[in-house]
Amino acid sequence: MARQLDEQIVGRYPVGQRLRVLDVGMGQGTQALRLVRAGHQVTGLEQDSTMVAAAREALSAEPEGIRERMRIIEGDGRDTGVHFLPGSFDVVLCHGVLMYVEEPDPLLAGLARMLAPGGLLSLLVRNGDALAMRPGLAGDWAGALGAFDTTAYRNRLGLDVRADRLSTLTATLAGIGAPLQAWYGVRVFTDTASDGTEAPADVEALLACEERAGRTDPYRGVAALLHLCGVRG
């Protein structure tokens, strides 16, 4: 997904431009730190205090020049209007968050308002059109049959969460003034790998296959996750 995001940024902004990035639900800050190391000004917003502490610890180990370009705020992604003025960011990330939000439309509308004109909104969501793939490939036929007609599922943490369909999010993005410009599949071939599986020796070949599949039909349509990129009009 990082390669996909970089592709969108490079295709939209001049090389070397320092972008204002907001990472909503940044977790432990992996993506935020990657972007701040690339020279951007990054604000991370996260409501889980444990994740905030992990992100701050990771940031503390970085050189001063990187530390001063990143700000971490503990707060809810649905309250962006409390923390920031509209149009404050060139790029807004919301990765792995929507599955935990029962009504995502207000959150998405708030994220779109944070974007400057022409700004990029990057979403990573569970693919509601492919929920039967994981149980089906595992031979769980009852689970696969039950997944065809729902967007609800239980994740690997044992939490009951929700997925999003491409068609629904496409309509939502158009409605909030950040229409879909590009979309990718993420974890096309590797979703069935168990947690803690070690990377194979030929990891670059694996990444090349995932990257190619993530932009190629019909493979991207059955990916476990969808990466959607909308642009503020």
Side-chain angles (χ1 to χ4, degrees):
M1 189 203 65
R3 297 183 184 187
Q4 297 163 356
L5 179 60
D6 289 346
E7 178 182 272
Q8 291 298 314
I9 290 174
V10 169
R12 189 156 302 279
Y13 297 102
V15 175
Q17 180 176 340
R18 179 173 291 183
L19 301 174
R20 301 164 298 166
V21 180
L22 173 63
D23 189 353
V24 174
M26 69 168 183
Q28 60 189 4
T30 301
Q31 196 67 236
L33 281 169
R34 189 184 72 83
L35 289 170
V36 79
R37 290 179 191 128
H40 303 302
Q41 189 81 33
V42 180
T43 299
L45 182 63
E46 172 59 55
Q47 67 175 347
D48 187 302
S49 58
T50 301
M51 291 292 185
V52 169
R56 286 179 173 154
E57 182 178 358
L59 181 62
S60 69
E62 297 289 334
E64 181 180 357
I66 289 179
R67 294 199 306 270
E68 66 186 13
R69 290 201 307 275
M70 184 169 172
R71 180 169 55 145
I72 298 173
I73 298 174
E74 187 170 344
D76 194 310
R78 290 167 290 194
D79 296 332
T80 50
V82 174
H83 300 288
F84 316 109
L85 293 174
S88 296
F89 298 95
D90 305 301
V91 179
V92 173
L93 313 180
C94 186
H95 297 163
V97 173
L98 291 193
M99 54 275 289
Y100 300 104
V101 180
E102 187 173 348
E103 295 291 341
D105 287 6
L107 168 63
L108 292 171
L111 299 184
R113 284 193 292 271
M114 295 301 103
L115 286 169
L120 176 68
L121 175 60
S122 173
L123 306 175
L124 185 70
V125 304
R126 188 73 163 93
N127 184 3
D129 293 317
L131 288 181
M133 289 297 293
R134 184 185 293 172
L137 291 173
D140 176 7
W141 308 121
L145 283 171
F148 279 111
D149 300 314
T150 183
T151 55
Y153 70 102
R154 179 162 293 179
N155 67 14
R156 288 178 172 175
L157 299 176
L159 300 175
D160 292 321
V161 288
R162 49 173 296 282
D164 288 281
R165 298 189 187 278
L166 176 62
S167 58
T168 302
L169 280 181
T170 299
T172 299
L173 290 173
I176 62 176
L180 184 68
Q181 298 295 307
W183 69 278
Y184 308 85
V186 177
R187 289 199 339 228
V188 177
F189 301 125
T190 57
D191 185 55
T192 55
S194 59
D195 294 339
T197 300
E198 293 186 7
D202 56 347
V203 65
E204 286 302 320
L206 181 155
L207 291 174
C209 286
E210 283 284 353
E211 186 175 8
R212 178 72 178 271
R215 64 178 68 248
T216 304
D217 291 323
Y219 305 103
R220 63 177 180 167
V222 296
L225 304 170
L226 296 179
H227 179 200
L228 290 80
C229 298
V231 173
R232 181 73 173 172

